[in-house]
Amino acid sequence: MNIFLTNNWLILNVLIPLILAIIAILSKDVKRARSIFKISSIISLFLLFFMPEIGTSYYLGGFEAPIGIEYKLDSLNAIIIIYLHIIMTLLSISMPWLQLMLEDGIKESKKHYIYGIFLLAQTGYIGIASTVDLFNLFVFIEISSLATYTLISLGNSRHAIVASLDYLIVGTVSATFILVGIGMFYSITGTLNMEDVREALKEQFVSRILISGSLIFCVGALLKLAIFPLHSWIIKTYRHTSSHILIYTASISAPIGFYTILRFIHTCIGSDIFNLIGMNQIFQVMSMITMIAGAYLGNRVSNFREIILYSAIVQMGYILMMISATDNISIILQYILADGFMKFIFFTYVSHQEKYSINISFAYITIYGILSNLGLPISIGFFNKINLLTILLDNMFYTSFIATIIATVMSINYNFKMINHVADNIGEPEYNITSSAGIILASLFSISLIFYGIL
Amino acid sequence: MIALPSTLLKILLVSTLITALLPSVFYRHNYKLSYHMLLVPIFACFIESLCVSYFYIYSGRADWVMFSAGIVDIAFYLEPLGILFLNLLTGMWFIAILYTIHHMIRIDAKDLARFLTFINLTIFAAILIALSKNLFTMFIGYELLTLFTIPLVAHHNRSRPEVMTYVKILFSTSIGLFLPFIMLVHHFAGHTGFKLDGILPNNINVIYVHIMLALAFFGIAKTAIFPLYSWLTSAMIAPYPVSALLHAVAVVKAGIFCIIKIIIYIFGLQKLSILLADYNWPLAISTFTLIYTSILAVRTSLVKHVLAYSTIANLSLIMMSIFLLDPKSILAGLAHLIAHSFTKITLFFSAGIFYTLSKSNNLGDLRGIGYKSPATAIFFVIAVLSLIGVPPLAVAQSKDLIWQAVSDYKYSDILKSALILYVMAVIYYMGKLCYLIFAKDGKFTESTPFSGMKVATALSAIGIASFPIFERFMNSLLWTIL
């Protein structure tokens, strides 16, 4: 049994949510669907005990790499898969209060679909994290996107449908870019397996197809992430999405987006070719513009949710800067995941304060998240910021160093606006303890990331 | 025997943290007694810090690397400057908490438990600075110090614009200038640990050293140097105990200690004095601040602002003395730091007692208040005399040391005239306060009752009188590094 689970761990991670999603949709009963959702997170946590060693490959259907599809567990995606499971578990812990809001305004006969769609999105995201096949990556991006469009349209307001349509258009465009990029790589290497692509590229000169392929792939991925010039859709879309949906989508989509870029750089083309064709300089300029423009725009808005969105854009700028400046994956992942946990905390807070006043421990955890967002001691964000600044100084990127400092100083203002907002909403608690359990765990997990960065 | 102090160090840090968090246990139980129980562990912390200094003097070094993540080491150790600051803090802590409890109950403030917790946490953060072993630990303590004071400053009214001024100035300087300074030190030296005679390598371009000095000088805005002093006057919207303990002692003095530690342990005193031999711009800015804020103090009409500007002037006097960059002048600066702490805390304490009676911050509303609370007025006058520099009170002795240090400097005429101008301003604005307190046409009918506030004020006034003890303690500690 153990051996079976360990050998098939990679595919089971994808299959279990998929099968449970179908069961949940067929169950036609909201209570059953809820328990299936919880069971899924319990099973995936249970599966973590059988995690195989780093470097294990799984070939779908037993077909070897060039023909078949390869799933691989390496140092890049192991922590991402664990993170996805953790977020799902935190969601099911939050379910007692979350389900009230999720099912609000949906017909009784259709309530069970929500849980099925959540599981389907989870399938897509875990699939993106597991595979090392370029086309398979695209398929999973589509699966997760389709599920996310549905989730976003579930919001209470009429605008949610429009927001979902906006997201659909942007998602389609970015997926098309990614597909075109993949096609270009296939045309010069003749394989879709990322490691084979890298081997094939080593024997070639740098061609224009390689450069344009990488550019187009990265534009697709960056559009989906909403890096500065391409950011306006995220503001439009997330403004009208219900915040309880955003707890999941916001905390997952950015880490997965950056994971896609990291996977592309480190496994598909290799970081030396990435630097050789000057992509790192493009990334660096983009990230500088993103962080400063995001901080500037963030100071101009006063709505809490919009401030979070702009601060998310600033954080993306920092992460992109880190990706362009270093090969040290564990430091980058530490930053990305800490940012994901912060998004979880913020949107839990947002969806809470729409209905209730919050209690004091909830407020302190949210303030911890905001301080981490700003990079003040002694939160995880402080260690991340120190890592980023060290990398920039060691590589003599003085302009980027100054830009990072300026962006941080500019973001003090809106971060303290957020803290003021939290302090205004403190009141007598009207709910039970489980509602703050999710964010307490999220903050603990984010702190424990310090130890991941050391390794 | 060697291992003992580092165990003591751990015990000290942990017990201060636990003590700091104790008031939140008393949450919702508004009994006076339970608040007074807090004084016991605080006094124990004071005794502990005395023990630590005793063991340091007789048995040597102690250090503790608590945690290490990447390039950030959170490490503590004992060194003379830190011990001096530690004892100052823990001693003042006891007096201040005694005062705070009575003051806050008397003005019917809400959320006393939270207020006390944050005051304690602020002291804890300042202790982190005092015991820090490297710049990162110091930075963490520095930022925590700012963070923990924000709820205190905003205690009465969170939406005042002064709160945002306070936050913006302190954080933008610490993130925008102090943090880059630390990163540059790490970049050039490879580490940020404190070492006597400095850690910067000798082959750095002089321009870079000047830039780094400027980053540190303006980045540590807690010293309230010229363009960056307005946070201190903004912070005066806080209740009196906060102004007394934090904005006269803990926070601003933490800034000065950061500067001294950086001069001695990062740049190196000798190297810096050679570097600044021709163009001593920090000295010029400090002297300018001294004159400028003395004039501002004369012009203002709020009690707290008079005291705040006087604090800024005294801080720049200390900075001026430090940036003469001579062991004697640094000792003089430290002596003035201690003397000023006791003097200013007494002034704030008695002004706070006056406030409980007059409920006003305006100078004019203090008329004749001295006749209704004579004991407080006497403490106030003692502190005023000390601030002016009447021997044998505390500031007189430290000013004498500064005067001697200044006399050796090549541009001593300018500095001496600045000092004389400063003393004249002090005589004017403090004399005005004393005149108002004893004016004949007061309208007050009731008098202040006896309370812990007066005990605390008396204790700090005793501190002013017994300054020579502190000075001897300081000299016995600091001869190893200066």
Side-chain angles (χ1 to χ4, degrees):
Chain A
M1 185 67 182
N2 288 359
I3 296 167
F4 171 79
L5 287 177
T6 308
N7 285 344
N8 298 293
W9 190 80
L10 277 160
I11 191 69
L12 282 176
N13 269 326
V14 183
L15 281 184
I16 286 169
L18 182 63
I19 293 166
L20 288 177
I22 295 167
I23 294 175
I25 288 169
L26 293 179
S27 68
K28 297 199 172 175
D29 177 40
V30 66
K31 278 182 187 163
R32 236 175 279 158
R34 263 182 230 148
S35 46
I36 286 168
F37 184 81
K38 284 170 194 163
I39 286 169
S40 140
S41 67
I42 292 169
I43 293 177
S44 47
L45 278 188
F46 171 74
L47 271 182
L48 284 183
F49 291 107
F50 301 99
M51 200 167 162
E53 284 176 22
I54 300 289
T56 311
S57 284
Y58 179 85
Y59 296 103
L60 223 60
F63 296 104
E64 291 281 319
I67 303 159
I69 293 169
E70 183 187 359
Y71 287 8
K72 192 169 183 184
L73 187 74
D74 56 11
S75 55
L76 185 55
N77 64 8
I79 185 86
I80 293 275
I81 292 175
I82 295 172
Y83 171 78
L84 291 170
H85 288 323
I86 286 175
I87 289 289
M88 212 56 178
T89 314
L90 292 180
L91 268 188
S92 23
I93 289 171
S94 312
M95 251 328 145
W97 63 267
L98 198 61
Q99 67 193 26
L100 298 175
M101 301 189 203
L102 275 177
E103 295 165 10
D104 189 24
I106 295 174
K107 265 192 227 164
E108 189 62 42
S109 58
K110 291 186 176 172
K111 280 182 178 172
H112 59 281
Y113 284 131
I114 308 170
Y115 302 99
I117 294 163
F118 259 117
L119 290 172
L120 210 57
Q122 181 78 352
T123 313
Y125 286 127
I126 292 183
I128 295 173
S130 305
T131 184
V132 286
D133 186 275
L134 275 171
F135 192 76
N136 202 228
L137 179 77
F138 169 73
V139 171
F140 278 122
I141 287 177
E142 279 298 290
I143 291 177
S144 65
S145 302
L146 287 173
T148 317
Y149 305 146
T150 325
L151 281 179
I152 285 178
S153 70
L154 283 177
N156 249 335
S157 76
R158 283 184 296 122
H159 297 291
I161 309 280
V162 184
S164 171
L165 192 69
D166 277 347
Y167 189 46
L168 174 79
I169 293 166
V170 172
T172 314
V173 171
S174 83
T176 314
F177 269 103
I178 290 174
L179 189 61
V180 171
I182 291 171
M184 287 180 163
F185 279 102
Y186 186 62
S187 73
I188 51 173
T189 57
T191 174
L192 284 171
N193 188 294
M194 294 189 198
E195 284 170 344
D196 294 343
V197 168
R198 194 180 55 193
E199 290 301 316
L201 286 178
K202 271 180 190 168
E203 295 157 9
Q204 298 182 0
F205 293 109
V206 174
S207 61
R208 283 190 186 167
I209 297 184
L210 169 63
I211 296 173
S212 46
S214 333
L215 265 177
I216 287 173
F217 188 95
C218 287
V219 166
L222 293 180
L223 174 61
K224 197 137 200 176
L225 274 171
I227 296 298
F228 172 65
L230 317 170
H231 72 287
S232 55
W233 69 268
I234 202 174
I235 311 290
K236 266 193 230 160
T237 308
Y238 280 10
R239 189 187 286 155
H240 298 301
T241 314
S242 345
S243 38
H244 34 276
I245 301 287
L246 283 182
I247 298 173
Y248 180 73
T249 48
S251 54
I252 297 270
S253 62
I256 286 290
F258 280 114
Y259 164 79
T260 317
I261 292 177
L262 277 175
R263 172 63 82 195
F264 175 72
I265 292 169
H266 287 276
T267 314
C268 188
I269 62 174
S271 55
D272 41 349
I273 293 184
F274 176 76
N275 294 343
L276 188 69
I277 61 179
M279 289 285 285
N280 60 343
Q281 289 166 11
I282 298 173
F283 270 32
Q284 207 151 60
V285 174
M286 279 182 82
S287 63
M288 271 191 260
I289 298 170
T290 305
M291 59 176 76
I292 289 180
Y296 172 72
L297 293 171
N299 281 326
R300 286 163 58 102
V301 294
S302 51
N303 182 329
F304 188 84
R305 184 192 290 214
E306 287 183 36
I307 294 177
I308 298 177
L309 296 180
Y310 282 112
S311 98
I313 291 173
V314 177
Q315 297 295 324
M316 282 175 197
Y318 296 144
I319 297 170
L320 201 64
M321 176 80 79
M322 227 173 193
I323 290 176
S324 67
T326 182
D327 289 341
N328 190 340
I329 289 173
S330 66
I331 287 180
I332 303 174
L333 285 178
Q334 183 187 343
Y335 203 125
I336 292 172
L337 298 187
D339 187 43
F341 281 122
M342 292 316 139
K343 293 287 164 312
F344 183 89
I345 292 175
F346 292 158
F347 283 106
T348 311
Y349 164 75
V350 171
S351 69
H352 244 283
Q353 58 91 20
E354 282 168 1
K355 281 210 163 171
Y356 312 110
S357 58
I358 54 171
N359 70 1
I360 199 92
S361 62
F362 202 112
Y364 278 130
I365 300 258
T366 317
I367 288 173
Y368 162 82
I370 296 168
L371 295 180
S372 171
N373 207 26
L374 181 54
L376 285 182
I378 191 161
S379 58
I380 177 76
F382 171 68
F383 294 97
N384 286 334
K385 180 117 327 148
I386 296 285
N387 283 339
L388 173 61
L389 293 175
T390 318
I391 289 165
L392 293 177
L393 268 188
D394 288 350
N395 292 318
M396 310 271 181
F397 297 141
Y398 293 121
T399 324
S400 312
F401 180 80
I402 294 168
T404 311
I405 293 288
I406 289 174
T408 314
V409 170
M410 282 168 77
S411 58
I412 293 169
N413 189 12
Y414 69 72
N415 276 301
F416 276 90
K417 263 192 228 168
M418 284 158 76
I419 291 183
N420 247 332
H421 188 274
V422 176
D424 283 336
N425 280 304
I426 296 176
E428 289 301 309
E430 302 160 12
Y431 48 86
N432 54 7
I433 187 73
T434 52
S435 52
S436 47
I439 60 163
I440 290 171
L441 283 175
S443 62
L444 289 179
F445 279 125
S446 76
I447 294 167
S448 65
L449 279 171
I450 294 175
F451 301 104
Y452 180 73
I454 300 170
L455 294 174
Chain B
M1 197 61 199
I2 298 297
L4 192 56
S6 43
T7 318
L8 269 177
L9 188 65
K10 287 173 198 172
I11 293 172
L12 178 71
L13 278 166
V14 173
S15 62
T16 7
L17 182 58
I18 292 171
T19 312
L21 293 173
L22 272 182
S24 50
V25 181
F26 303 140
Y27 191 55
R28 282 164 197 265
H29 299 285
N30 260 325
Y31 303 125
K32 250 185 179 177
L33 182 67
S34 62
Y35 291 120
H36 281 97
M37 291 301 283
L38 186 63
L39 291 170
V40 178
I42 290 177
F43 193 71
C45 287
F46 178 54
I47 301 293
E48 267 175 56
S49 69
L50 285 179
C51 291
V52 166
S53 5
Y54 177 83
F55 280 109
Y56 174 76
I57 292 170
Y58 288 101
S59 87
R61 60 194 64 245
D63 61 55
W64 178 30
V65 181
M66 192 177 92
F67 179 75
S68 145
I71 64 168
V72 182
D73 283 349
I74 299 179
F76 304 98
Y77 81 135
L78 290 178
E79 49 86 35
L81 280 170
I83 286 177
L84 187 67
F85 191 33
L86 177 73
N87 286 304
L88 184 69
L89 279 172
T90 45
M92 293 279 189
W93 191 10
F94 179 78
I95 303 173
I97 290 294
L98 176 63
Y99 183 85
T100 309
I101 293 167
H102 287 269
H103 185 89
M104 296 306 274
I105 289 176
R106 184 140 174 79
I107 64 169
D108 291 329
K110 54 183 182 356
D111 291 342
L112 182 51
R114 195 188 72 193
F115 188 80
L116 286 172
T117 313
F118 276 106
I119 282 198
N120 290 347
L121 281 174
T122 312
I123 298 290
F124 173 71
I127 288 174
L128 290 189
I129 294 181
L131 299 177
S132 57
K133 197 186 179 186
N134 54 38
L135 279 176
F136 282 114
T137 317
M138 182 195 261
F139 183 74
I140 288 169
Y142 185 90
E143 294 290 60
L144 288 181
L145 192 56
T146 317
L147 272 179
F148 291 144
T149 47
I150 294 168
L152 299 173
V153 171
H155 191 75
H156 283 331
N157 189 352
R158 200 171 54 242
S159 52
R160 291 275 290 269
E162 282 94 339
V163 180
M164 250 353 235
T165 315
Y166 181 81
V167 167
K168 274 184 198 163
I169 292 183
L170 285 181
F171 277 127
S172 52
T173 47
S174 68
I175 295 175
L177 304 170
F178 191 23
L179 185 60
F181 163 74
I182 296 172
M183 299 309 297
L184 282 174
V185 169
H186 185 267
H187 181 60
F188 285 122
H191 67 107
T192 60
F194 294 137
K195 201 167 138 261
L196 204 57
D197 298 329
I199 58 167
L200 290 178
N202 290 323
N203 55 2
I204 305 178
N205 194 333
V206 180
I207 303 290
Y208 284 136
V209 184
H210 270 292
I211 289 174
M212 284 161 72
L213 183 62
L215 287 176
F217 186 73
F218 292 111
I220 301 175
K222 285 200 184 0
T223 56
I225 210 69
F226 164 59
L228 306 166
Y229 60 82
S230 56
W231 67 266
L232 189 57
T233 45
S234 301
M236 289 300 151
I237 59 168
Y240 266 94
V242 176
S243 309
L245 176 66
L246 305 179
H247 299 114
V249 182
V251 173
V252 290
K253 263 57 176 192
I256 301 272
F257 263 94
C258 289
I259 287 279
I260 299 180
K261 264 191 159 178
I262 285 171
I263 289 175
I264 295 177
Y265 297 128
I266 299 292
F267 287 104
L269 198 55
Q270 297 288 332
K271 290 179 198 166
L272 204 61
S273 64
I274 295 166
L275 180 82
L276 292 176
D278 295 330
Y279 304 103
N280 199 336
W281 54 266
L283 184 66
I285 294 173
S286 310
T287 316
F288 176 74
T289 317
L290 177 65
I291 300 167
Y292 183 68
T293 47
S294 298
I295 295 167
L296 286 182
V298 170
R299 288 174 52 180
T300 183
S301 64
L302 292 175
V303 182
K304 274 190 164 183
H305 280 198
V306 173
L307 297 179
Y309 282 123
S310 149
T311 306
I312 302 171
N314 277 288
L315 291 175
S316 48
L317 183 62
I318 298 166
M319 289 287 273
M320 191 180 101
S321 178
I322 290 166
F323 273 98
L324 293 170
L325 295 174
D326 171 41
K328 209 171 75 180
S329 72
I330 289 186
L331 272 179
L334 283 169
H336 188 62
L337 190 149
I338 295 168
H340 174 253
S341 298
F342 280 101
T343 309
K344 197 43 74 62
I345 206 168
T346 314
L347 281 175
F348 267 111
F349 279 176
S350 25
I353 295 175
F354 292 151
Y355 174 79
T356 57
L357 203 59
S358 71
K359 298 281 189 293
S360 163
N361 272 324
N362 285 325
L363 280 177
D365 294 334
L366 286 182
R367 296 184 82 87
I369 205 166
Y371 296 111
K372 287 298 170 188
S373 46
T376 317
I378 289 170
F379 298 139
F380 190 80
V381 170
I382 291 174
V384 167
L385 290 178
S386 163
L387 197 66
I388 293 169
V390 178
L393 294 169
V395 174
Q397 302 176 19
S398 62
K399 258 183 201 159
D400 186 38
L401 291 174
I402 292 181
W403 187 266
Q404 286 170 20
V406 164
S407 306
D408 298 343
Y409 191 65
K410 56 182 172 182
Y411 300 119
S412 62
D413 299 344
I414 303 172
L415 298 184
K416 275 180 181 173
S417 44
L419 263 173
I420 291 168
L421 196 72
Y422 154 75
V423 172
M424 281 161 66
V426 173
I427 291 174
Y428 176 76
Y429 58 73
M430 283 302 163
K432 190 166 73 177
L433 265 173
C434 288
Y435 168 75
L436 283 172
I437 286 167
F438 291 110
K440 287 287 182 193
D441 53 346
K443 298 186 187 71
F444 294 97
T445 48
E446 54 177 330
S447 56
T448 50
F450 176 81
S451 74
M453 283 194 276
K454 287 186 181 170
V455 178
T457 318
L459 283 174
S460 57
I462 292 170
I464 299 179
S466 50
F467 177 69
I469 303 172
F470 303 120
E471 201 191 0
R472 196 175 302 157
F473 177 67
M474 187 184 86
N475 286 334
S476 69
L477 269 173
L478 292 182
W479 66 271
T480 47
I481 58 164
L482 290 169

